[in-house]
Amino acid sequence: MNFQSWNQKKYFFLLLIMSVITLTACSSTRQNSIPFQGVQANSNEKEKTFHIVCTTYPQYDWVQQILGENTSNVKVTYLLKSGVDIHSYQPSAEDMIAISDCDLLIYVGGESEEWLKKALKNSRNQEQKVISMMEVLGDRVWEEELVEGMQEDPNEQKSSEIEYDEHIWLSLKNAERICQEISQALKELDTENQENYQKNTENYQKQLQQLEKSYQELSDTTKQKVLLFADRFPFRYLIEDYGWKYYAAFAGCSAETEASFETIAFLSEKVEEYNLPVVYRIETSDDSIAKTVINSTKKKNQTILVLDSLQAVTEKEIEEGISYLSVMEQNLELLKQGLKE
C-alpha cells in the first residue's frame, strides 16, 4: 500500500466518523424538541383524566360540589339532561358506551334503571367503580305505597315483588349519606386530590345539615302537618323525615294523568276537612287536576303551588344556575305556606 492510498483511506474514515457524530447530534436535537407520539419532553407524566357518569341530576350536582373548582382532569356526564324523567328514559348507544367505559358510575338503583344491568355486564372498564344510591341507603329505602284515596294505576302489573320508591334524593338526610359515599369513591379514584375532595365534602355537608335543620324547625313549629297533592307524589322520603301526613291523586311512580271523579271528590273533602290553604302539584304536571279539586270545595280559594321533585332538570336549567340546594330551599318556602296554621 502506497502513502497516497493510505491517506485517502484515512480521509474516508475521518469523514465517516464526522458524519456519525453529526447525525447523532441532529437525532438528539430532534428528540428533545419534538416529543414522539405525544410523549412529553420532560419527565412528568400526562395528567390522567377520569370520567364519571350520573344517571339523574341530584348526584350530578353532588359530584360537582365535591369536585369544586378542581375539574381539569375530570369529565362528568349527566344522562337525563334533556329533561326526560327516570321513569321514561331510554338510553342511546352513546349512553351505553359511556356507562361501559367510565371510571365511576352513580345511579339510583331502582326498577326504572333495570336496563343498566346489561350495560354493567358488558363493561369494558374492569376497574370501574359503581355506586347504587339505593344500596348505599339500605334500610332507609321505602316501599311504594297506596294511601287512602289514592288512585291505582290500572296498567300497573300486579307482582309479588316489592316495589321501592326511587325518589330517594328528596330527603336531605339521604343526600348527606350518599355524598359521603361519592366523596370516598372520588378520593380512591383521584388520590392526588383527596384533601380537596374531603374539604369540599365537609363544606357541602354543613350546608345540607343547615337546610335540614330549617326543615326540622318548620316541622317543630307548625301544628298543621298535612299536605295534599293533586298529582303524583314523589316526596315520601321528605315527609317521612318529619312525620308529616299526605294525600295524593297518584303514587310517585304512577303513569296516570287523569283523576277519576272519586279521586277528585276525596281530595276536595280532605282540603275542607283540614282547612288546607294550598293544593300542590309537581313541576312536570299542569294545574288541571288541582283546579278541579279546588273548584269542588266550598271556598274555592286555595292556592296552587308547585314543588320541584328534581326529576326532569334540563341542561339549560343547569346553565342558568339551578342546584340541588336551591331547589330544596325553594321547596321549603313553599311548604311553609301549606303547613302554616
Side-chain angles (χ1 to χ4, degrees):
M1 178 184 298
N2 59 35
F3 181 76
Q4 184 176 3
S5 176
W6 169 244
N7 282 340
Q8 287 176 343
K9 288 184 178 181
K10 286 174 63 179
Y11 180 72
F12 173 78
F13 284 120
L14 180 62
L15 286 176
L16 180 61
I17 293 169
M18 290 180 66
S19 298
V20 170
I21 293 172
T22 302
L23 286 172
T24 303
C26 290
S27 175
S28 176
T29 302
R30 285 177 61 87
Q31 288 177 3
N32 288 330
S33 61
I34 307 177
F36 179 67
Q37 291 185 346
V39 178
Q40 297 182 4
N42 54 40
S43 59
N44 296 331
E45 294 184 3
K46 187 177 180 181
E47 187 177 38
K48 178 175 173 56
T49 299
F50 302 98
H51 185 194
I52 303 169
V53 172
C54 302
T55 55
T56 58
Y57 174 75
Q59 69 265 35
Y60 170 81
D61 187 53
W62 297 334
V63 167
Q64 300 289 355
Q65 300 302 324
I66 296 170
L67 289 175
E69 297 179 355
N70 184 52
T71 59
S72 61
N73 67 325
V74 183
K75 175 185 176 182
V76 187
T77 298
Y78 165 41
L79 293 187
L80 274 65
K81 61 185 178 182
S82 64
V84 63
D85 70 32
I86 190 174
H87 307 296
S88 52
Y89 173 70
Q90 295 294 327
S92 66
E94 184 179 359
D95 293 339
M96 297 293 276
I97 292 173
I99 291 168
S100 176
D101 291 347
C102 72
D103 299 289
L104 174 61
L105 169 67
I106 311 172
Y107 69 111
V108 177
E111 185 179 358
S112 296
E113 292 179 331
E114 283 292 314
W115 56 269
L116 263 170
K117 293 181 180 180
K118 179 179 180 181
L120 291 174
K121 285 181 180 179
N122 298 322
S123 177
R124 296 187 295 190
N125 185 348
Q126 298 303 311
E127 298 180 356
Q128 183 180 73
K129 294 181 180 294
V130 177
I131 296 177
S132 164
M133 298 194 296
M134 293 178 78
E135 288 185 9
V136 170
L137 295 174
D139 58 7
R140 279 190 59 83
V141 176
W142 300 102
E143 295 179 28
E144 277 275 0
E145 68 173 355
L146 284 174
V147 299
E148 182 186 8
M150 188 178 284
Q151 186 170 311
E152 294 190 53
D153 189 343
N155 296 319
E156 189 72 24
Q157 294 182 350
K158 299 294 182 180
S159 173
S160 58
E161 293 185 9
I162 297 174
E163 293 185 19
Y164 293 96
D165 192 324
E166 299 173 337
H167 308 95
I168 52 177
W169 57 83
L170 291 168
S171 161
L172 288 158
K173 295 177 181 179
N174 286 353
E176 290 178 39
R177 185 179 295 191
I178 296 168
C179 282
Q180 194 61 47
E181 191 76 15
I182 293 173
S183 176
Q184 183 61 35
L186 288 177
K187 287 185 287 186
E188 292 174 1
L189 195 66
D190 185 11
T191 55
E192 292 184 7
N193 291 296
Q194 284 184 344
E195 291 185 8
N196 288 333
Y197 297 152
Q198 182 61 34
K199 180 180 178 181
N200 293 339
T201 302
E202 291 173 357
N203 290 336
Y204 191 60
Q205 293 281 39
K206 289 178 182 178
Q207 296 178 65
L208 290 171
Q209 291 163 7
Q210 184 59 45
L211 183 55
E212 198 279 323
K213 182 180 177 181
S214 297
Y215 270 88
Q216 188 62 58
E217 288 175 354
L218 171 62
S219 181
D220 292 342
T221 56
T222 183
K223 294 180 181 179
Q224 205 297 93
K225 301 181 185 295
V226 178
L227 299 169
L228 188 138
F229 278 70
D231 204 341
R232 289 185 289 145
F233 186 77
F235 291 93
R236 186 181 177 196
Y237 288 96
L238 183 66
I239 66 101
E240 290 283 357
D241 282 346
Y242 308 107
W244 297 332
K245 186 175 182 179
Y246 75 95
Y247 296 99
F250 319 110
C253 295
S254 174
E256 285 291 285
T257 56
E258 297 293 332
S260 67
F261 171 80
E262 291 77 15
T263 299
I264 296 294
F266 176 85
L267 294 177
S268 61
E269 288 173 5
K270 291 302 177 183
V271 171
E272 293 182 337
E273 178 183 344
Y274 291 97
N275 193 27
L276 301 179
V278 171
V279 172
Y280 290 99
R281 70 169 177 86
I282 62 174
E283 78 282 4
T284 55
S285 304
D286 58 34
D287 290 347
S288 58
I289 299 178
K291 286 180 177 178
T292 305
V293 169
I294 291 172
N295 289 332
S296 299
T297 65
K298 293 178 180 178
K299 293 183 178 180
K300 298 180 174 56
N301 63 349
Q302 294 80 13
T303 303
I304 300 173
L305 294 179
V306 181
L307 285 192
D308 195 331
S309 61
L310 289 160
Q311 294 184 85
V313 177
T314 65
E315 189 173 19
K316 181 180 179 181
E317 288 175 307
I318 295 173
E319 292 172 354
E320 292 173 348
I322 193 175
S323 72
Y324 175 81
L325 279 177
S326 69
V327 170
M328 294 301 286
E329 287 168 353
Q330 178 182 321
N331 284 344
L332 174 61
E333 296 306 311
L334 296 174
L335 286 167
K336 288 178 180 179
Q337 298 184 49
L339 293 173
K340 66 182 180 181
E341 295 182 32

